[in-house]
Amino acid sequence: MNEHEQDHDALHAAPTEKISVRSGEMAGRSDDPAALTTPVPAPRTGHPAYPIEDRGTDPGPAPYVTIVLPCYNEGAHVLQEIDRITATMAASELTYELLCIDDASTDDTLDVLRHAQQRYPHLRILPFRRNGGSGTARRIGTQQARGEIVVWTDADMTYENEKIPDLVRVLRDDTTYDQVVGARTTEEGTHKWARVPAKWLIRKIAEWLTKTRIPDLNSGLRAFRRDVSLPYLRLLPAGFSCVTTITIAFLSNQHDIKYVETSYAKRAGVSKFHFVNDAYRYILQVLRMVMYFDPLKVLMPPALWMIVIGLVKAVVDMVRHPFYFPASTVLLIVSGMMIASLALLSDLVVRSRDGV
């Protein structure tokens, strides 16, 4: 055997190093009784930036549902919410995990969650070092979820979390829907006198832009297919308008949404909603999302109106003062043409974009 043949045989005889790809190791928990008595949760990571605390050593099979629960200064009542959610899910036929995200709370929320983890085998904790907002918490929670169906809800005792299994069953039994939203029948938030008309106006704008009836645009209780949502997660803002964004993103891409009526209770604790700032962000986010998917719908109507008004004014000016056109007339027509050109250019960019 020559030297080349020896090297060739040695190459194929040597053990081949394999790259071990571990999926979903951030979720689930062990059935080992010893693991269940561990007093301090061990961090488990699927991504180094997001260490999830999980009691178990074996993630086990992936659950069907992941409930993402953002928590910011909810220490006084988060345990009650966890009790309610776990009791509801345990009574159902659905496998699940409850992913609680502590958004750098300044109270004892994280300690409450860690103590609760000793009682609830399906509870996982993702602590943030700095506050990122509810939108950031929901986005990262959805990315780290192992469930096929992801549920968003709040930890402030407002939403009827007993209906979570009903929302999930709609998606399980009817594959034509990609999202189910708990549409609130009452408004119990702060600044109710201002929130109701403001939300109505923003919702009507969103309905006009998406050509879809939307009973509740910004409900925080919803279930959706994780694989469908993944391309849109990068569009989510950091704040409360993330729920508005995921609604408009689905509707703009022909993903059907079903609305299920649900009650809405008065919030426990102090509201983090700031009416003026958050309402302003809601309006901007609605316009931004529709601009992202259909810019012609936002830009072309005002452009055409400016051109038409400018032309009518030009005719009037021509009759009153032959061959004299004021600067305002020229400005209307030129501005309309510039906005129309921008609308067409934006539409070209949207249609030439790969993916979402």
Side-chain angles (χ1 to χ4, degrees):
M1 181 180 295
N2 57 37
E3 182 178 352
H4 175 73
E5 292 174 336
Q6 291 176 346
D7 292 342
H8 179 77
D9 292 342
L11 177 63
H12 287 275
T16 303
E17 182 179 356
K18 296 182 179 179
I19 299 176
S20 176
V21 179
R22 293 172 291 177
S23 60
E25 66 176 318
M26 298 180 63
R29 50 187 64 253
S30 172
D31 292 330
D32 182 5
L36 298 179
T37 59
T38 304
V40 180
R44 302 178 55 81
T45 60
H47 189 289
Y50 313 125
I52 292 185
E53 298 178 359
D54 194 344
R55 274 189 322 189
T57 57
D58 182 4
Y64 184 64
V65 182
T66 294
I67 302 170
V68 177
L69 188 68
C71 304
Y72 178 65
N73 290 347
E74 311 284 2
H77 47 264
V78 67
L79 184 59
Q80 185 178 351
E81 192 70 86
I82 292 174
D83 285 336
R84 190 161 62 125
I85 293 174
T86 53
T88 299
M89 296 305 296
S92 72
E93 75 284 6
L94 304 168
T95 59
Y96 74 100
E97 61 184 6
L98 176 57
L99 178 56
C100 294
I101 302 176
D102 177 64
D103 196 13
S105 297
T106 57
D107 65 356
D108 62 344
T109 297
L110 184 56
D111 291 335
V112 172
L113 292 175
R114 284 172 173 165
H115 281 91
Q117 194 174 47
Q118 305 308 311
R119 295 172 48 194
Y120 300 100
H122 299 279
L123 178 61
R124 302 162 60 210
I125 304 171
L126 173 54
F128 284 176
R129 292 179 178 174
R130 53 191 174 88
N131 183 267
S134 62
T136 301
R138 288 185 169 101
R139 173 178 59 82
I140 294 176
T142 303
Q143 290 170 336
Q144 304 304 320
R146 290 201 308 154
E148 178 182 338
I149 303 298
V150 173
V151 175
W152 286 358
T153 188
D154 288 341
D156 55 11
M157 305 300 295
T158 53
Y159 289 102
E160 193 177 3
N161 288 327
E162 291 84 359
K163 284 197 172 183
I164 289 178
D166 295 334
L167 303 184
V168 174
R169 291 186 188 106
V170 172
L171 296 176
R172 183 194 63 185
D173 300 337
D174 190 343
T175 58
T176 63
Y177 289 108
D178 290 317
Q179 185 171 174
V180 183
V181 176
R184 296 165 293 181
T185 56
T186 59
E187 173 61 65
E188 298 293 341
T190 57
H191 307 291
K192 185 176 179 179
W193 60 271
R195 287 168 68 114
V196 172
K199 286 185 176 182
W200 179 87
L201 177 60
I202 296 171
R203 178 166 55 86
K204 288 303 178 182
I205 294 174
E207 288 180 342
W208 172 70
L209 293 173
T210 59
K211 298 180 181 178
T212 307
R213 181 180 176 274
I214 306 175
D216 193 343
L217 179 62
N218 58 341
S219 171
L221 176 60
R222 59 189 61 221
F224 52 86
R225 304 187 192 280
R226 179 179 178 273
D227 58 342
V228 175
S229 72
L230 289 178
Y232 310 120
L233 295 182
R234 60 187 174 87
L235 305 176
L236 298 184
F240 291 102
S241 53
C242 62
V243 292
T244 302
T245 303
I246 200 72
T247 300
I248 297 177
F250 271 52
L251 293 176
S252 298
N253 275 299
Q254 297 300 311
H255 298 295
D256 288 334
I257 298 178
K258 183 179 179 64
Y259 294 90
V260 177
E261 287 190 354
T262 182
S263 61
Y264 189 64
K266 187 175 181 180
R267 189 193 197 287
V270 180
S271 175
K272 287 86 175 178
F273 183 86
H274 302 284
F275 174 74
V276 176
N277 292 336
D278 287 321
Y280 174 71
R281 293 191 188 100
Y282 272 131
I283 296 175
L284 285 185
Q285 191 63 19
V286 169
L287 296 177
R288 182 184 296 123
M289 289 303 299
V290 179
M291 277 288 293
Y292 185 87
F293 292 110
D294 193 358
L296 285 179
K297 187 177 288 294
V298 176
L299 296 177
M300 192 57 75
L304 294 179
W305 273 109
M306 292 178 70
I307 293 174
V308 169
I309 293 173
L311 291 176
V312 172
K313 191 174 184 299
V315 173
V316 174
D317 293 335
M318 187 69 176
V319 172
R320 296 178 60 187
H321 308 284
F323 302 105
Y324 171 74
F325 299 100
S328 59
T329 302
V330 177
L331 183 62
L332 275 172
I333 297 175
V334 172
S335 298
M337 294 178 64
M338 292 178 63
I339 296 176
S341 300
L342 178 61
L344 293 173
L345 180 60
S346 301
D347 186 68
L348 178 63
V349 171
V350 167
R351 295 184 183 278
S352 62
R353 182 176 61 212
D354 291 333
V356 177

